[in-house]
Amino acid sequence: MPRPLPRSFYARDTLTVARELLGCVLVRRVRAGAELRGRIVEAEAYVGEEDKACHARAGRTPRTDPLYGPPGFAYVYLTYGMHHMLNAVTEPAGRPAAVLIRAAEPLDGLERMARGRGFPLDGAAASRSLASGPAKLCQAFGLDLRQNRSDLRGPDLWIEAGESIPDSRVAASPRIGCQTAPAPWDLIPWRFFEADSPFVTPGRAIARKTLGSQRARHRE
C-alpha cells in the first residue's frame, strides 16, 4: 500500500520542505498495479506575494488560487503555452507558497516515461533525460492541468518518503529562469539539488554552494 507523506510535512516553512523533498519518491499510478516512480533530486522554493519570482506576486487570481489553498496539494500550471510544471503547495492555507519539483531520477516505469517524452529508451543517456527538468518530468509522468489541485496523498499521485540525503550531498543555487525578477529574487539561492546527481537540469550543477558550508535561509 502507498505511504504518502503526511499533510503536516507540507504545512511547514517552504525552504525546509524543498530541502527535505530531495530523496523522496514521486509516484504516479497510471492503471491498476502500474506505477511510475522517480526519486526527487532537484526542487525550488517559491514563497509568498513578496517573492517577485512567485506567481503569487500578482495576488490571488483564478490561476494562483491553488497556492493559497491547504498544503499537500498539487499546483500544476502551463508555461509558454506548452510546458506543464508540477508544484507541491506548502505552508498553512492562506499563505501562498509552493515547491517546484524540478527533476527526478527515474526508478520504475522507464519505458512508459520514454513514450511520454517521445523517444525510445536507449541506454543511460536516455534515462538521464527522462525527467531532468520540470517540463520533462511532467511529460514523463503524464502530468498536465488535469492534475492541478490533486491531493498529493493519492490515490493517483503522491510523494513518499525515501532516502535521507545528508547536507554534504546537497547544493543550493539561484532559481532557474528567474533572471528577470528584481533583486534579490533573481539570485536568492532557493534551488536545492543533489550535488553529484546526473539527473538534475543539464548544465546547472555548477557554481554551487553546498549546504554543509552555508544554508539558504528565508528572508523575513
Side-chain angles (χ1 to χ4, degrees):
M1 296 293 293
R3 299 180 63 88
L5 294 170
R7 204 165 309 285
S8 59
F9 175 91
Y10 301 97
R12 299 181 297 159
D13 175 82
T14 305
L15 273 69
T16 299
V17 176
R19 162 65 182 89
E20 293 186 8
L21 277 172
L22 299 184
C24 292
V25 178
L26 175 67
V27 186
R28 170 85 194 283
R29 178 172 288 153
V30 291
R31 63 177 184 274
E35 295 175 352
L36 308 178
R37 304 172 66 87
R39 190 172 69 89
I40 298 170
V41 296
E42 183 180 2
E44 288 178 343
Y46 291 86
V47 190
E49 295 178 355
E50 68 275 16
D51 180 353
K52 299 308 179 183
C54 179
H55 288 174
R57 66 185 180 276
R60 195 165 193 163
T61 68
R63 184 195 193 197
T64 65
D65 187 67
L67 288 172
Y68 292 79
F73 284 78
Y75 170 48
V76 180
Y77 64 87
L78 184 67
T79 185
Y80 300 118
M82 58 190 300
H83 299 306
H84 293 95
M85 307 285 187
L86 171 65
N87 300 258
V89 176
T90 56
E91 307 207 12
R95 168 67 166 164
V99 174
L100 172 64
I101 310 300
R102 282 206 60 92
E105 175 185 354
L107 300 176
D108 296 311
L110 275 66
E111 290 186 359
R112 190 181 183 104
M113 290 184 190
R115 290 198 299 272
R117 293 277 291 113
F119 60 74
L121 184 63
D122 184 19
S127 67
R128 288 196 295 269
S129 298
L130 289 177
S132 57
K136 294 178 182 180
L137 183 147
C138 283
Q139 289 176 343
F141 280 81
L143 304 174
D144 56 32
L145 293 178
R146 289 172 293 185
Q147 282 72 48
N148 190 32
R149 301 178 184 267
S150 292
D151 193 337
L152 289 177
R153 302 193 69 247
D156 299 317
L157 180 66
W158 67 89
I159 300 176
E160 299 176 352
E163 175 190 1
S164 179
I165 309 298
D167 282 354
S168 60
R169 289 171 49 195
V170 175
S173 80
R175 296 169 293 186
I176 296 173
C178 297
Q179 295 86 352
T180 60
W185 310 105
D186 55 338
L187 297 177
I188 201 163
W190 286 359
R191 170 181 172 246
F192 303 91
F193 60 100
E194 192 171 343
D196 296 319
S197 172
F199 298 94
V200 301
T201 305
R204 300 291 183 168
I206 58 175
R208 61 186 184 251
K209 294 180 179 180
T210 62
L211 290 188
S213 60
Q214 179 176 337
R215 285 184 175 273
R217 296 189 181 276
H218 191 296
R219 287 175 177 257
E220 295 297 338

